[in-house]
Amino acid sequence: MGWEDHGTYSNISRTGFWDGIERVVAIVGCQRSGTTLTGQIVGAHPQAFLVDEFDGLYPWFHAETDRHHNAAALAEAMVKSAEAKYRQMDKPRRLGGAVTAGDIGAKILVLKAPNLTYDVGRLSSLRAPVSVVYPVRDPRAVVASMARLSHIDFVGNQLRLLNNRPELIERFAAEYRLIADEAQPPWIRRAAIWNIKSSMAPTFRQAGICVTQFRYEDLVCEPDRMISRILDECHLPDSAEALRSHALYRGEGPGGTDRTRPIDATSLFVWRSDLDEAQQADVIHIAGASARSFGYGGPDNATQP
């Protein structure tokens, strides 16, 4: 049974998109750092509803935070798209004001949106309290993963976003120069992106937003402990569904991710064969103090426990 059989989407415009939404959980950080997996874990909770970038998240977000007249229509289309990722269509998962009898009612809106890392002020202006969940990953793994997705222009996309944010260009001037310099090797430019996007947690905290930051490596190696912590800090009780999130979705997620793949640690060190030793050293050098603060780039050139 599909979404069209229930006819609930007119409820969004009739009752208001924010009716019944108690909290927004924004999954931020650098692309290829576990944001997709984290979003699926939180979004699997029975009280949560996951929206991905390709559901129309960014157009809705900017219309909403600009208080534009088309925000309600964009919200309706976004929710319609996001619903389709959930398997249990015989008992549909509904969000906020769209919930009717027989639905799984979600009151936590989960935004899987790494590019909102730059939008602290806009997130603070949403019409519900916001929590930020912020995975980080070894910069060498992130850089190597970006290279494998050659059809995505990570550097160009981030450069365009930064060019609209002069305050971040000033704050991260050295990193910005590397990203903007086409003569730099691609792994250097990607490492500079990691440094910016993995370093913004203090800015969220200064804005009064609760931040849960953790390492992707810890999440995939100790999922039970880490998922319990993430849910608790998002004001959600423990959930068996979150621990088996792969069973609640269908299709592909962002970056071609198989939504039905269980959590595993098999890809943790693929970067060792993708980057030579000089490139690995370059990435750690550019990632600098941020990498060391998370325990990356130790003397054995491996992720530290």
Side-chain angles (χ1 to χ4, degrees), residues 32 34 36-38 40-41 44 85 87 137 145 148 216 219-220 223 227 241-270:
R32 314 311 298 166
T36 296
L37 174 61
T38 303
Q40 292 199 169
I41 289 169
K85 65 172 62 74
R87 282 186 181 275
R137 188 178 185 182
S145 182
R148 288 193 295 274
Y216 169 82
L219 175 61
V220 299
I227 290 171
E241 288 88 345
L243 287 169
R244 58 180 186 89
S245 60
H246 61 281
L248 282 98
Y249 297 101
R250 59 185 179 183
E252 287 190 352
T257 303
D258 179 3
R259 293 194 189 277
T260 66
R261 178 183 173 184
I263 297 172
D264 67 73
T266 57
S267 65
L268 281 186
F269 297 109
V270 173

Side-chain angles (χ1 to χ4, degrees), residues 41-152:
I41 289 169
V42 181
H45 195 285
Q47 297 176 22
F49 185 89
L50 172 63
V51 175
D52 286 305
E53 300 106 302
F54 54 44
D55 291 320
L57 188 159
Y58 294 129
W60 163 78
F61 178 81
H62 288 100
E64 173 66 31
T65 53
D66 286 337
R67 303 298 189 254
H68 198 272
H69 65 85
N70 68 340
L74 290 171
E76 183 170 341
M78 177 181 73
V79 172
K80 175 179 174 181
S81 174
E83 250 192 8
K85 65 172 62 74
Y86 288 101
R87 282 186 181 275
Q88 61 272 37
M89 302 308 283
D90 57 329
K91 192 175 183 183
R93 186 171 300 223
R94 303 297 190 196
L95 175 67
V99 176
T100 61
D103 295 342
I104 298 175
K107 58 185 181 180
I108 307 296
L109 173 61
V110 182
L111 305 177
K112 186 272 178 184
N115 286 337
L116 295 190
T117 308
Y118 301 134
D119 286 313
V120 179
R122 284 180 178 265
L123 276 168
S124 301
S125 74
L126 289 176
R127 306 183 201 205
V130 176
S131 296
V132 158
V133 178
Y134 202 142
V136 295
R137 188 178 185 182
D138 191 311
R140 294 162 293 192
V142 170
V143 167
S145 182
M146 287 180 175
R148 288 193 295 274
L149 295 179
S150 58
H151 62 288
I152 299 176

